[in-house]
Amino acid sequence: MLSKNSHLEKYRQFWTSRGYDILTVQTSPFDLLLPSLGGRKVAQNVFNFLTRELVPRYDEVLVHAFSVGGYQLGELLQRLYEGIERGEPEAEQLYRSMKGWLIDSVVFAEDAAPGLSRAITLNPVVQPVLEKSIATFLSATSRFTFARYKLVEANIIDNRREVPAMLLFSKDDVVSNFRSNYAVVDSWQRKGIPTKAQCWDRSSHVLHYKEHPEEYEQAVDGFIRRLDITKAYK
């Protein structure tokens, strides 16, 4: 959300140097605040691109989500579930192509207000006012916002198809609660899902790669080496 292209380029280089092609998906504050109109539409656009417009189709997909990108992944999974229930072969094909999820600094539904406000501004005067305003809006529109966040969040936590997954987070991130991260990891592990957690004692929200580059690369490389990916260098 609101990431500058220069910030994203570091991650693009990370993946292209390992033989991956990149599709960048961005979610705006509007998309998050009005999920049925915004995030849901973004998920449909991603679905259309990967299943109808992209030639040749990719049969191996690795997702690297950041912050509210975890929410957006949940929206994409919701689109896939609905498509599979309708018997859409392209939805089944895209879901089967998912080889792994890496989710960096995921924002859980309960942390949407502080997460969104900090994504918009870090101004110490403006940020708390904006956070309170967003929290008030989400409370007033809970049926259409918070309820949707919980729905798509459950898609990730439940992980019905048992996609191998990794969470990257820190103990001092006020936006991505480390206890909630560990709870998700524990849930996946109890289901027997191949899972990895990388937690730092001190590291800023979505800046783990910048602040711990060597550890970040080692952790991610170690995770993807265990995945069933054949068409990229690992």
Side-chain angles (χ1 to χ4, degrees):
M1 180 178 291
L2 302 177
S3 296
K4 294 181 180 179
N5 206 46
S6 58
H7 299 158
L8 295 172
E9 186 58 30
K10 183 175 182 179
Y11 294 95
R12 293 193 186 105
Q13 291 177 4
F14 177 93
W15 289 110
T16 55
S17 69
R18 289 159 172 76
Y20 291 78
D21 295 331
I22 309 299
L23 170 65
T24 302
V25 180
Q26 292 180 291
T27 304
S28 72
F30 171 85
D31 296 329
L32 185 64
L33 288 173
L34 296 175
S36 293
L37 297 176
R40 189 174 182 179
K41 184 177 180 181
V42 172
Q44 181 64 51
N45 290 340
V46 173
F47 177 84
N48 290 344
F49 183 77
L50 289 178
T51 62
R52 302 173 189 176
E53 300 177 28
L54 194 61
V55 180
R57 293 183 179 180
Y58 285 76
D59 58 3
E60 294 182 333
V61 176
L62 184 64
V63 179
H64 196 176
F66 301 87
S67 192
V68 297
Y71 151 77
Q72 194 60 66
L73 171 59
E75 284 283 6
L76 177 59
L77 294 175
Q78 184 66 26
R79 174 61 183 87
L80 295 180
Y81 293 150
E82 293 170 356
I84 291 171
E85 290 176 359
R86 290 193 293 266
E88 297 175 358
E90 60 268 33
E92 179 67 39
Q93 180 181 358
L94 179 54
Y95 206 151
R96 287 184 179 276
S97 74
M98 285 191 176
K99 300 299 183 180
W101 305 336
L102 299 102
I103 310 179
D104 182 323
S105 306
V106 61
V107 176
F108 295 93
E110 289 79 4
D111 302 317
L116 179 55
S117 62
R118 284 173 173 79
I120 295 174
T121 181
L122 292 177
N123 185 298
V125 176
V126 178
Q127 189 275 322
V129 176
L130 182 59
E131 179 179 339
K132 185 174 182 180
S133 298
I134 293 173
T136 300
F137 171 81
L138 295 179
S139 177
T141 61
S142 177
R143 180 181 175 187
F144 308 102
T145 54
F146 187 77
R148 183 72 182 183
Y149 301 158
K150 294 299 290 185
L151 172 68
V152 299
E153 180 180 287
N155 292 336
I156 296 175
I157 296 173
D158 294 344
N159 197 352
R160 302 180 197 175
R161 296 291 185 91
E162 300 187 352
V163 178
M166 177 180 187
L167 293 183
L168 302 108
F169 52 98
S170 68
K171 292 182 179 179
D172 64 343
D173 186 348
V174 297
V175 180
S176 181
N177 187 288
F178 79 95
R179 292 183 179 85
S180 298
N181 277 276
Y182 272 127
V184 174
V185 170
D186 181 64
S187 174
W188 288 339
Q189 290 178 337
R190 282 189 279 106
K191 293 179 181 179
I193 299 172
T195 305
K196 184 175 178 62
Q198 177 64 46
C199 178
W200 289 274
D201 289 332
R202 299 185 61 83
S203 192
S204 305
H205 186 66
V206 296
L207 292 180
H208 307 317
Y209 189 20
K210 178 180 179 180
E211 297 179 5
H212 307 276
E214 292 185 5
E215 289 182 3
Y216 197 100
E217 291 193 8
Q218 290 173 1
V220 172
D221 282 335
F223 174 71
I224 63 176
R225 286 192 192 101
R226 297 195 297 269
L227 303 181
D228 183 25
I229 297 175
T230 62
K231 297 179 181 177
Y233 171 76
K234 294 183 289 183

